[in-house]
Amino acid sequence: FGGPSRRTVENMTEGCHQFSTRPNESIYFANCTDCTLSLSSRSAKVSVENCKNVTVNVKFSPLTSYLEVVSCDYLNVKLDEGVTVSTITVDQSDNVTFHVVDQQEQLEKIWWHKVSKVQVHRGGELGLFLLDKLEDHNKITLFQHVCKPLPDGTFSKEPVMREN
């Protein structure tokens, strides 16, 4: 019995690009710039790494309910209505924005580490800043942060210390 396979999409630039995967296949977007990437089918997991000025449209919930962002700048992730992602991780990235219709239903946790700005926009409303330009990154580099949507539309936000 083999694990899920991975489809790699690299070095996409300019314009809109549409992709599909098999449900047991993860998709990995890497080194893309100045473009829109749309995932038009269900995948096992969605990963975005080293992308700049990119929008990722997710039209179906990932099978594992997991989305990861690593080393991206100016990334927009749009979750269509009904798409749920239990865990999002954002690592070593700047200016990441998640667009959702209903944050309480669509998001469970967002973990981040070494990130300068994370926002969640809900239904076209102005963004909720989860993290905005920390004054001293050195004070938090040993911490990860987790936030969870609350029923009133706000987020709880807590640092988490990891050993090793």
Side-chain angles (χ1 to χ4, degrees), residues 49-151:
E49 186 169 357
N50 291 322
C51 292
K52 185 172 183 176
N53 296 322
V54 168
T55 297
V56 176
N57 295 319
V58 181
K59 300 185 177 296
F60 294 89
S61 301
L63 186 64
T64 60
S65 198
Y66 184 76
L67 187 147
E68 73 177 333
V69 174
V70 179
S71 299
C72 292
D73 291 323
Y74 296 96
L75 177 72
N76 286 288
V77 177
K78 296 181 178 182
L79 303 179
D80 276 10
E81 186 171 3
V83 172
T84 58
V85 180
S86 294
T87 303
I88 294 173
T89 60
V90 183
D91 201 15
Q92 299 180 22
S93 298
D94 295 319
N95 299 296
V96 177
T97 303
F98 296 96
H99 301 268
V100 298
V101 176
D102 183 346
Q103 67 197 26
Q104 189 68 30
E105 295 294 321
Q106 291 183 276
L107 300 176
E108 188 174 317
K109 292 182 206 127
I110 300 174
W111 295 84
W112 69 83
H113 180 65
K114 294 184 180 180
V115 174
S116 69
K117 187 175 186 180
V118 178
Q119 299 181 69
V120 175
H121 287 215
R122 180 185 63 203
E125 292 178 13
L126 292 177
L128 169 65
F129 287 89
L130 302 178
L131 178 67
D132 187 19
K133 296 291 180 192
L134 291 176
E135 293 178 13
D136 187 353
H137 279 285
N138 294 327
K139 290 183 181 176
I140 64 145
T141 54
L142 297 177
F143 288 91
Q144 287 186 338
H145 294 78
V146 63
C147 66
K148 300 175 188 175
L150 300 172

